[in-house]
Amino acid sequence: MKRYILPAALALLAACQTAPAPAPTAPEAPVAAEAPSPTASQQWLYGSAEARIAMVQEWNAIAAYVEAKAAARPNASVVLAPRATADAPEFLPCGDKPLAAVFDADETLIWNLGVTAERQRKGEAFDPAVWADWERTGAGKAVAIPGALDGLARIRAAGVEVIVNTNRGHDTAEGNAATLSAAGIGNFVHGSNLFLRGDDDQGSGKDGRRATISETYCVVALVGDQLGDIADLFNAKTLTPPARKALTASPAFDQMWGNGWFILANPVYGPSIAGSMDDVFPADTYWEPSAPD
Amino acid sequence: MKRYILPAALALLAACQTAPAPAPTAPEAPVAAEAPSPTASQQWLYGSAEARIAMVQEWNAIAAYVEAKAAARPNASVVLAPRATADAPEFLPCGDKPLAAVFDADETLIWNLGVTAERQRKGEAFDPAVWADWERTGAGKAVAIPGALDGLARIRAAGVEVIVNTNRGHDTAEGNAATLSAAGIGNFVHGSNLFLRGDDDQGSGKDGRRATISETYCVVALVGDQLGDIADLFNAKTLTPPARKALTASPAFDQMWGNGWFILANPVYGPSIAGSMDDVFPADTYWEPSAPD
């Protein structure tokens, strides 16, 4: 398949070399039309020192937060109660349930390097059948996110259970557990500490599974790369990207980020990759260069 | 200019809608060949709730760290001494100098929305002349990064000076100070609390300016979106992306991330946007789908 590169992507490559700060090595421009190259997002997330550091910083913060909560047991979970809203926030009570931290899997605990490279190498779009195959057979080809293994060890040492709530499929439970195990994340048993899409009738919505987990545990942290890992209300289809962003900044919710609710960077895929020019660049920041003298 | 989109970019857009988690709104595929659309990196960084949250989380962590250092004064700066290496790390002594935190400007204190949208709208590459014009005239069209204003207020309230060390140019000092002021970052005076490229003979290298700042201050935090904001040794031109990443993970340096050295996510431009398929996707994660039955 012939490949082209967006002018803007070339602009970014050029920017690396000249300003605001020069690149330490010249970025590899895709000179050969057939040579696959990672996207800028893939280069940053999976390849760069900067993203590794961002992950380590955040995992250290997650572990420190969970340790503090284990030392001073909270009364309320960080899971929103049914029908909670930004105006009427309410969290599930904890009772005397054991503590747990709940993690998304993909791009939260593990980086899906094998399948991402395979799609990019071939210039092929996402394919549900290939993804399902990846869930079945990818063990060993996904890696733990930098900082995750140290963070999980601290969380477990604090006596807090590690639970995975992922939209990987119910039908591929064995492969999903094998993938987590091979990456060093831990040993997971479907329905016990591993919850999958298809476990209930809510599709990719995770609120039902969060409710199930909360029957057994007091959840002290929710961690993901997408807002659906925190609460389904953030993924209402009526929300434009600016409205969705504004909802996360409402007073009841804004205080939760880094304080029970944690988001890790993932510029490669997901609902965060959306929005028109007008959504992404507000009108009041419109700028044109000066006219030549 | 005609526009094309990489097959892989289409793959990512498709992935948003189907897996691992569905998009809350259908991403806008660039159906019209002439309609400009933000890149995935731009959508994530400048448009998404997820990136806003990642920024707020990290700015809160930076502020908390600086507050702790102000309360328990350190003996050593976090600025590496001349000729320090990973094997022989050494930091500048603090003496009884006043405390400061040193920040990069672009994509650390402010998001450069005006010029980024202008280049993307026109499908044009980075142009040093346009960028210089942006430095002169962009005030009001760059915005404070989410979390920065609250973080800076906490840092100043702790009695720690806020210093900017940026590769914006010496010749555009007035516009650069106006841009920071208009974004609410503060009032900056060139040579006092604002240091620019061209202040010395080291080009975009920042070690010389860090040494100058350290003549007056004990630096308790270095914050940026690129490793050059921490130490120039990370930008040695001989380092491949994997070697550069490994250097940040060497024992002497790894303990510093989130602990005096801080990196904020920027997948849009810079030296982090580099690397071949082999650099970004290690060979031991190579994967192919199963053969059909």
Side-chain angles (χ1 to χ4, degrees), chain A residues 4 6 8 18 20 22 24-25 43 50 52 57 120-122 126 133 167 204 239 244 254 263 271 275 288 290, chain B residues 4 6 8 18 20 22 24-25 43 50 52 57 120-122 126 133 167 204 244 254 263 271 275 288 290:
Chain A
Y4 299 89
L6 284 166
T18 48
T25 56
Q43 289 175 316
E50 282 84 352
R52 176 191 167 275
Q57 288 172 170
Q120 188 70 6
R121 206 161 55 229
K122 297 174 182 170
F126 176 83
D133 192 7
N167 277 333
S204 57
L239 293 172
R244 186 167 175 270
D254 202 34
I263 294 289
E288 281 288 333
S290 311
Chain B
Y4 300 90
L6 284 166
T18 47
T25 55
Q43 289 174 316
E50 283 82 353
R52 176 192 167 274
Q57 288 173 170
Q120 188 71 5
R121 203 160 61 231
K122 297 175 181 171
F126 174 83
D133 191 8
N167 278 332
S204 57
R244 186 168 174 268
D254 202 33
I263 294 289
E288 280 289 331
S290 311

Side-chain angles (χ1 to χ4, degrees), chain B residues 279-290:
Chain B
D279 288 333
V280 172
F281 301 104
D284 60 1
T285 62
Y286 187 94
W287 177 80
E288 280 289 331
S290 311

Side-chain angles (χ1 to χ4, degrees), chain A residues 99-290:
Chain A
L99 305 185
V102 177
F103 298 85
D104 176 43
D106 297 309
E107 275 53 46
T108 299
L109 294 168
I110 56 172
W111 278 343
N112 287 290
L113 298 181
V115 70
T116 306
E118 186 268 345
R119 294 285 85 188
Q120 188 70 6
R121 206 161 55 229
K122 297 174 182 170
E124 294 283 355
F126 176 83
D127 179 330
V130 172
W131 184 267
D133 192 7
W134 169 248
E135 291 188 0
R136 280 190 299 271
T137 70
K141 309 303 179 184
V143 301
I145 286 181
L149 299 186
D150 284 348
L152 293 173
R154 288 172 60 182
I155 289 166
R156 288 174 170 131
V160 176
E161 188 77 14
V162 172
I163 307 274
V164 175
N165 184 5
T166 169
N167 277 333
R168 284 173 170 246
H170 178 279
D171 294 346
T172 51
E174 191 179 344
N176 296 328
T179 297
L180 292 169
S181 176
I185 303 298
N187 295 317
F188 291 90
V189 177
H190 183 200
S192 173
N193 57 359
L194 175 61
F195 295 84
L196 299 162
R197 183 173 43 79
D199 284 354
D200 60 25
D201 60 2
Q202 298 189 23
S204 57
K206 291 184 170 181
D207 280 351
R209 284 174 263 157
R210 278 184 283 266
T212 300
I213 294 163
S214 298
E215 291 171 6
T216 306
Y217 293 101
C218 166
V219 177
V220 296
L222 290 166
V223 184
D225 64 319
Q226 304 180 358
L227 297 178
D229 299 323
I230 309 299
D232 291 344
L233 62 84
F234 292 117
N235 280 347
K237 290 192 191 303
T238 51
L239 293 172
T240 62
R244 186 167 175 270
K245 187 192 287 203
L247 182 60
T248 68
S250 60
F253 296 152
D254 202 34
Q255 63 184 327
M256 295 300 295
W257 306 114
N259 190 27
W261 293 355
F262 297 88
I263 294 289
L264 291 158
N266 174 13
V268 174
Y269 68 85
S272 60
I273 315 300
S276 65
M277 289 294 290
D278 289 345
D279 289 333
V280 172
F281 301 105
D284 61 2
T285 61
Y286 187 94
W287 176 81
E288 281 288 333
S290 311

Side-chain angles (χ1 to χ4, degrees), chain B residues 137-151:
Chain B
T137 70
K141 309 303 178 185
V143 301
I145 286 181
L149 299 187
D150 285 349

